[in-house]
Amino acid sequence: MGCFVSTPKDSGGKRRRPGNIGEVAVFVPGLRIPKPVDFSESLDDHLCKSLVERLSALRTRIVVMAGQEAPTITRTRRRSATQHGGSTLGDLLQALEDYLPVLLGLVKDGSPLQHKVQFTWINQEDESEEVGMYSAWYEVLSVLHLMATLSLSQANLLLLPRTSTDGYLPKVSEESRRSAIDILLKGAGYLDCAVRHVLPQLPPEHRRDLPVDLAEGVLRALCLQALGQSVDIQLGLAIDSTKATLAVKRRLACEMVKYWQQAQDNITNLPLANGWGEKHRFYIKWKYIEAKAAAYYYHGLILDEGNTEKSHGMAVSALQAADEYLKESKRACEAFNTAVPISRTPPLWGTMKYLSEKIPKDTSMKVRINRDLYTYEKIMETAPTLPDFALALKPDEYQLPDVDSSWNHENVNKEQSGNNKD
């Protein structure tokens, strides 16, 4: 029995791609969609009918809901239900959580049942339109990836500015920002579990056949993206706080740089050149540059507090670097938005609204000489090294659930008798 099926990208057009995804605060790769599975054909001789039917019902629910949600996943309006009958992001996430404990019975104690069913998913970032494997661990990995994607989408909706009732500019409430951090850390936890506990269960030949959507580098990059964006929100909250010191803001900004740099390092050598994948690469590049603008700005302010000519000179260099990175980030943002599917940047708020105003102003105040003497290359050559802080934010700890109790007693006995027949 074969273990791997890959369908070329030009084989039938099952993959649905939007042309425009609207406003993006958090990048959400397109949903990988599961294709229907006939569990009875593969498992009727090994499991009792009720358990096979339960597996079928739980997964069919996900197939239907994911298919309904996929066209609307990137719509940026807040919604409580879709036009198809109420499959919200939260409902789909709950359906995946209900399915996982029952699915894990197929891999319990190394059961040979894990190789009996072919699971097929439609990809988004891979050249192959769909990939199918006779591997329940591939299914577990796909489920965790989808759970993480839904978390990113929930965070995106929370972080889109809303018009305030007092008539002022659109903004994101502190409650929404804190909720988004919780959701991002939860999504990072799903991805961290996938990398540390699920990928190692797949044999090398299966790992080589995984679509790029599920490559270790992409999973790690998405995890680091969630952490980097959480720190970005924390920095915005610190900016709004009268109690947060410059040192606290600089540390957060420097940590943000490290998260985005590591995210970029993880996808540098991956073939992310297919629609969503290319846009993903542009997004990480943009956010990495943006983070450097913030870090050099706060580093420059702290250096300027020194009383020596040297510290003042280093402060000027740091602020000039911040100004250049801010300009570069605007170009990177434009490259991201114009990459297909095209997108828009929501109205500035939080960290970048503050910095886009303060960096040019403070830089011009500190630089007393003709700025024409400073080329981009000269500024970057003289920019001081950023401090290296240990990364404080970690993903939420997520553990795979216990195998559902429906796998006990008579169901296990039938599985064993089925194996003896083989």
Side-chain angles (χ1 to χ4, degrees):
M1 180 181 289
C3 68
F4 168 72
V5 175
S6 174
T7 305
K9 64 178 179 179
D10 57 353
S11 64
K14 303 181 187 69
R15 184 157 49 187
R16 291 174 289 181
R17 293 254 175 82
N20 188 322
I21 58 175
E23 293 181 344
V24 174
V26 176
F27 176 76
V28 183
L31 283 191
R32 295 184 73 244
I33 307 298
K35 297 189 70 176
V37 166
D38 185 354
F39 284 103
S40 60
E41 181 180 346
S42 307
L43 299 177
D44 265 357
D45 291 339
H46 304 279
L47 298 174
C48 71
K49 183 178 179 181
S50 63
L51 183 51
V52 174
E53 289 178 345
R54 188 165 183 219
L55 272 168
S56 297
L58 288 168
R59 194 176 192 278
T60 298
R61 181 183 174 209
I62 293 167
V63 170
V64 172
M65 292 176 69
Q68 292 173 351
E69 197 67 34
T72 65
I73 188 70
T74 51
R75 289 183 186 171
T76 53
R77 62 184 176 85
R78 290 175 180 269
R79 61 194 188 281
S80 58
T82 71
Q83 61 181 335
H84 301 284
S87 68
T88 64
L89 299 176
D91 291 337
L92 179 50
L93 189 57
Q94 185 60 55
L96 292 162
E97 291 175 350
D98 293 343
Y99 173 53
L100 201 49
V102 184
L103 169 65
L104 287 169
L106 292 175
V107 299
K108 182 180 179 182
D109 300 325
S111 169
L113 291 181
Q114 65 184 282
H115 304 300
K116 295 288 185 183
V117 182
Q118 184 187 47
F119 296 99
T120 303
W121 289 67
I122 298 172
N123 303 312
Q124 293 295 345
E125 298 190 295
D126 196 83
E127 285 293 315
S128 298
E129 182 158 301
E130 61 186 50
V131 169
M133 290 187 184
Y134 284 92
S135 169
W137 280 116
Y138 168 64
E139 176 81 345
V140 173
L141 184 63
S142 297
V143 166
L144 289 178
H145 177 269
L146 182 51
M147 290 167 68
T149 303
L150 294 172
S151 296
L152 292 176
S153 185
Q154 288 177 321
N156 183 55
L157 291 173
L158 284 169
L159 294 175
L160 293 175
R162 305 179 72 183
T163 303
S164 58
T165 55
D166 54 13
Y168 288 100
L169 293 173
K171 60 183 179 181
V172 179
S173 69
E174 181 174 333
E175 179 185 3
S176 291
R177 286 187 270 176
R178 294 191 183 279
S179 296
I181 291 175
D182 292 340
I183 291 171
L184 287 167
L185 294 181
K186 183 181 292 186
Y190 298 143
L191 294 160
D192 186 58
C193 176
V195 169
R196 294 195 297 116
H197 300 298
V198 179
L199 274 179
Q201 301 292 339
L202 291 163
E205 61 272 19
H206 281 194
R207 293 186 66 164
R208 286 193 296 269
D209 291 336
L210 287 173
V212 73
D213 307 57
L214 300 181
E216 181 175 350
V218 170
L219 298 178
R220 289 187 182 277
L222 283 171
C223 179
L224 289 158
Q225 169 189 326
L227 296 175
Q229 296 197 276
S230 297
V231 177
D232 190 352
I233 300 169
Q234 288 180 334
L235 177 57
L237 292 170
I239 290 171
D240 291 345
S241 171
T242 56
K243 297 179 181 179
T245 64
L246 277 180
V248 167
K249 296 170 189 175
R250 179 178 68 173
R251 178 176 184 126
L252 288 170
C254 288
E255 288 184 32
M256 189 163 57
V257 170
K258 289 181 71 173
Y259 283 120
W260 286 110
Q261 180 178 15
Q262 290 179 19
Q264 184 164 274
D265 290 346
N266 272 283
I267 66 167
T268 295
N269 296 318
L270 293 175
L272 285 169
N274 185 40
W276 284 111
E278 183 178 29
K279 197 167 183 72
H280 193 178
R281 192 189 300 280
F282 280 134
Y283 184 77
I284 290 177
K285 179 181 179 181
W286 164 34
K287 289 299 179 180
Y288 177 37
I289 296 168
E290 202 173 71
K292 287 196 282 189
Y296 275 105
Y297 173 69
Y298 284 111
H299 190 40
L301 294 185
I302 287 181
L303 288 170
D304 195 51
E305 291 180 339
N307 294 321
T308 67
E309 185 177 340
K310 179 180 179 181
S311 65
H312 176 72
M314 292 173 66
V316 170
S317 295
L319 290 171
Q320 287 180 309
D323 196 39
E324 291 297 330
Y325 280 124
L326 182 63
K327 295 172 185 174
E328 189 179 348
S329 76
K330 292 176 181 177
R331 294 190 292 270
C333 173
E334 182 65 20
F336 166 74
N337 282 328
T338 55
V340 178
I342 61 174
S343 55
R344 300 190 309 275
T345 305
L348 282 180
W349 64 275
T351 304
M352 288 316 298
K353 184 178 190 306
Y354 177 82
L355 294 179
S356 65
E357 297 168 356
K358 293 291 289 181
I359 290 176
K361 179 181 177 182
D362 288 356
T363 301
S364 63
M365 285 176 58
K366 299 297 180 187
V367 179
R368 305 296 184 186
I369 58 177
N370 188 346
R371 294 193 62 192
D372 292 340
L373 298 176
Y374 287 83
T375 64
Y376 174 86
E377 292 76 14
K378 184 66 175 177
I379 290 170
M380 294 310 171
E381 282 176 13
T382 59
T385 303
L386 291 172
D388 185 14
F389 296 106
L391 296 176
L393 206 59
K394 305 294 181 187
D396 279 358
E397 186 174 350
Y398 175 78
Q399 296 180 343
L400 292 174
D402 293 333
V403 173
D404 189 81
S405 60
S406 59
W407 281 88
N408 297 335
H409 309 306
E410 69 275 8
N411 298 331
V412 174
N413 292 334
K414 181 164 187 185
E415 176 193 334
Q416 292 171 343
S417 65
N419 291 337
N420 291 337
K421 290 177 187 178
D422 293 340

